[in-house]
Structure formats: structure tokens, C-alpha cells
Amino acid sequence: MTPLSKYLTLADVDVAGLKVLVRADLNVPLDGGEVADDFRIRAALPTLEALVRSGAAVTVCSHLGRPHGVDPALSLAPVAQRMDSLTEYDVRFDGPGDINVLENTRFLDGETSNHPSTAEELADGFDLFVQDAFGSVHRAHASTVGVAELIRSVAGLLLDAELSALGRLLDGTERPYTVVLGGAKVSDKLAVIENLLPRVDRMLIGGGMCFTFLRSLGFEVGASLVEEPMLDKVAAIVEADADEHKIHLPEDFVAGERFAEDTAHDVVAVDGLPRGWIGLDIGPSTGNAFAGFVRDSASVFWNGPMGVFEWEQFRAGTEAVARAISECQGFTAVGGGDSVAAMRLLGLEGSVSHLSTGGGAGLELLEGKILPGVAVLERWVR
Ligand code: 3PG
Ligand code: MG
């Protein structure tokens, strides 16, 4: 079974005339005071718009960044402005529109420590709390947990969709089931590997994290990323997998002379990395093999790029996985900011069953952890 809790949804409540506080995850990247990526803002809109249409007075709150106290550079004002341009409804920052956007919850003392007085302050005057911040439900903060202890609380449309889609990956999804993991750090993914490995048919590992695996197998990895403290754990995982051989590691790479966009680079076999060079992408044979596994799967989950995809010459591996996911006829889910960004960069976001707004929250769910911002909703199920 999944560690998912029971909760009510918008379908279970009549919100007409209610004052509703929505917690969304509007923690988006900013660039020069402008919203650089509005994926999370667009993902938050269906719930907000449904509430307005149903006659609720709607206020939405979120954190943005990791401020220490009030920091004008992390105001939600530009987020509210972008939201207004994305919806027919009138969105106001700290003022009464159809949708009222509150200032950054992390400007409040007691937000991250979930102080009762902060939760009371947030809940004050509202009839209903709608938890829709999937990307933040792994945080036990005043705006994610404290408020939901005080007033009647339900899940929003995005949270419900995320939990259904990612929950499926834990709970007997269709097979063959393939998980593709990348990204820089194996330490971020170790718990997910351990929890998903028994459930999957194949686990394809690329990105910076694959070098810790390869090093543990005795390969020379040059200047590639290796997390030394993880070597023993990784070796144990590979050894335990020896019979079933679900874990697939790269057989070739695109390696660079140094870590730079314009570095000299070449395709090399896994045992042929020139001394001091650094692996910056999986190679074409690996890309083909991974793509083949992905395409013929009935279920796929992908988190983490295969290489430094921001640099064009190290993008091919990530692109091979992304294209295979878009071609796969089965259920496909992509999580983590970089993988989602890669799908969007390639214009493939429309051909994925589920693009997740959660990074850490999605991983914690797949690790089998309880998500406090979801668990708290259970008390309102009667
Ligand atoms: C995220 O971007 O992963 C979420 O918004 C959570 O942000 P946090 O890691 O600062 O709590
Ligand atoms: Mg508008």
C-alpha cells in the first residue's frame, strides 16, 4: 500500500459564499524580479479558478525562496502579476480581487517552525483551507500543516492529481515498469532507489550520480562527480541487484576535458575515460539502450537529467530519454525541476501522462515517507 492518507477534495464541499484560503506552491524561479518559469503558477490555476466559479472568496498563499525574514527580492508581487496575465479572473497582490495573493509566507516568524500563533494568524477569518501545494507537502510548516489543524481542510485538484499519478508508481502500476534516474547527487536519490527497486523491472541510472555507481564497480571515472561517502551503500545496492540485474548503468559517455560549455569533448566507452576528463552526458549507445527500454514500457517514471543538458553538446542523452518518454504509449510521469524543464525545453510537455510540480515532495512520496501536509487532511474525513 501507499503511505497516502485519506482526504476530502473540492468535490466534497460546497464552497459557495465561503472564505477560502488556498496553499499553493508558487515557489518559482525569478530572474531580475520577473517570473522566469510559470509552470507552477499555471498548475495552481485550475483549483483557484474552480473556487472562484463556485462562488468562493479566494485567497492564495505560498512561500517563495528561502528568505531569512522579510526580503523584498522574494515578494510574491511578480507572481501575482503573472498569475493575473494567465487567467481571465482579476488577481490582486495583497488586495481583494477574484483571487487575492498573500505575501510570502516565509516572511512570517513561525512559518517554518509551525508556530501555533502563525497558523492562527493565517487561518484567521477563513472558513475552509484547500491544500494544493504538492511541492511543499513534505514541509511541516504553519501554512502547510498548522492551518490545516485549525480549520476544515480539503485537497485541491493539483494535489489530488499528483498523489494519484505518483501514488500509482508505488502501487502496482502496469509493467514493464521502468524508472530513469539522473541528476548530480546519488545521496538525493538513494532512498528512492531502495524503495522503488523491488517494484520496478528496470532502473536506468545516468547523470552525475552514475559515476558513484561506476566508481564502486572499480571503473576509472577521472574528474567525474563521485560521492565518496556513498560508495559502500551504492556497492551494496549493486551487489544485491546482481541476480535480477534491474539496474542499468551507462556503457558510454560524452566526456569533456574540463567542466565548461566550450570544452573539448568526445564519446568514450565506460572503461576508456581519458585521464582527468569528466563525464558530462551519457553516450549514444547508452542513450539508445535507455530509450528502447523506456519506449517499450507500460509505466515510466523519470527524475533527473542524464547530463549537463543546459549545454547543448551535453544534451543528447537527456533528449533521448525525453523523446522516448514522449513516444511511450504507457503511463509516463516526470518529476523534478530539471527533467520537467527539459521536457518543456524540447516542447514535449504535452506528450507526458503526468508532469509533476514537486521535486523533493515527489521524491519523499516515492521513498515511502509520510507527507505531513497530506497526512494532516485526514482529520477532516468523517
Ligand atoms: C520546492 O521548490 O522544492 C518546494 O517549493 C519546496 O521548497 P523548499 O525546499 O524551500 O521548502
Ligand atoms: Mg487576469
Side-chain angles (χ1 to χ4, degrees):
M1 278 304 293
T2 68
L4 301 183
S5 318
K6 292 196 197 70
Y7 51 83
L8 299 177
T9 67
L10 286 186
D12 299 307
V13 282
D14 178 6
V15 300
L18 297 189
K19 294 196 173 91
V20 178
L21 176 66
V22 180
R23 175 57 157 99
D25 188 329
L26 305 175
N27 182 28
V28 296
L30 299 177
D31 188 7
E34 300 277 322
V35 172
D37 181 338
D38 59 17
F39 175 53
R40 281 177 161 174
I41 302 174
R42 287 184 291 114
L45 276 172
T47 293
L48 299 171
E49 290 173 338
L51 286 165
V52 174
R53 268 198 305 278
S54 303
V58 181
T59 298
V60 57
C61 68
S62 175
H63 77 285
L64 178 61
R66 292 178 176 172
H68 301 283
V70 177
D71 177 353
L74 291 173
S75 169
L76 261 289
V79 172
Q81 202 178 4
R82 175 65 64 91
M83 187 184 282
D84 186 51
S85 74
L86 292 169
T87 178
E88 58 176 309
Y89 295 116
D90 180 26
V91 180
R92 300 277 180 90
F93 175 64
D94 216 8
D98 298 319
I99 300 169
N100 168 27
V101 180
L102 296 184
E103 186 52 293
N104 193 338
T105 52
R106 289 192 184 166
F107 290 178
L108 302 171
D109 284 338
E111 158 68 338
T112 57
S113 62
N114 189 14
H115 197 281
S117 64
T118 306
E120 272 163 34
E121 189 184 329
L122 280 165
D124 189 38
F126 291 104
D127 306 305
L128 179 74
F129 177 67
V130 176
Q131 174 63 280
D132 211 25
F134 175 67
S136 307
V137 287
H138 58 318
R139 306 287 182 220
H141 294 171
S143 69
T144 58
V145 169
V147 176
E149 289 172 333
L150 298 175
I151 54 176
R152 186 154 69 116
S153 300
V154 302
L157 301 169
L158 176 65
L159 178 65
D160 191 36
E162 292 269 18
L163 295 173
S164 311
L166 298 183
R168 203 168 147 171
L169 298 167
L170 285 173
D171 242 354
T173 189
E174 291 77 12
R175 305 176 79 152
Y177 173 14
T178 300
V179 167
V180 190
L181 295 176
K185 289 167 71 187
V186 68
S187 50
D188 290 344
K189 304 275 161 57
L190 209 62
V192 168
I193 293 171
E194 286 171 332
N195 198 42
L196 290 186
L197 199 52
R199 296 171 155 85
V200 306
D201 297 297
R202 309 138 179 164
M203 188 168 280
L204 317 179
I205 296 182
M209 63 184 272
C210 78
F211 296 103
T212 303
F213 279 85
L214 293 168
R215 187 78 201 93
S216 83
L217 291 168
F219 287 101
E220 269 314 320
V221 299
S224 308
L225 276 180
V226 171
E227 281 180 90
E228 298 282 342
M230 293 291 121
L231 282 171
D232 288 348
K233 279 193 177 158
V234 164
I237 289 173
V238 173
E239 202 179 308
D241 180 57
D243 287 343
E244 292 192 279
H245 191 64
K246 292 176 174 181
I247 295 177
H248 297 262
L249 295 165
E251 59 201 63
D252 63 346
F253 301 106
V254 183
E257 198 173 4
R258 58 203 171 87
F259 187 82
E261 189 167 3
D262 61 353
T263 181
H265 59 281
D266 209 350
V267 174
V268 299
V270 62
D271 57 357
L273 196 76
R275 182 178 292 273
W277 281 41
I278 176 168
L280 295 171
D281 193 10
I282 58 172
S285 300
T286 305
N288 274 335
F290 283 13
F293 280 134
V294 166
R295 267 196 303 267
D296 84 355
S297 293
S299 311
V300 181
F301 172 65
W302 175 35
N303 184 311
M306 296 293 99
V308 189
F309 77 101
E310 303 90 322
W311 296 342
E312 215 177 322
Q313 58 268 45
F314 307 113
R315 184 175 298 164
T318 300
E319 182 161 351
V321 168
R323 293 206 182 278
I325 285 186
S326 76
E327 286 157 16
C328 173
Q329 299 297 307
F331 170 73
T332 53
V334 177
D338 288 336
S339 305
V340 171
M343 290 307 285
R344 297 178 63 218
L345 181 77
L346 297 165
L348 300 173
E349 68 269 36
S351 51
V352 189
S353 312
H354 184 76
L355 268 192
S356 179
T357 55
L363 289 176
E364 289 200 18
L365 174 70
L366 295 175
E367 286 167 15
K369 286 198 185 136
I370 298 289
L371 300 170
V374 180
V376 69
L377 301 177
E378 190 160 356
R379 72 185 57 214
W380 302 102
V381 180
R382 294 277 179 270

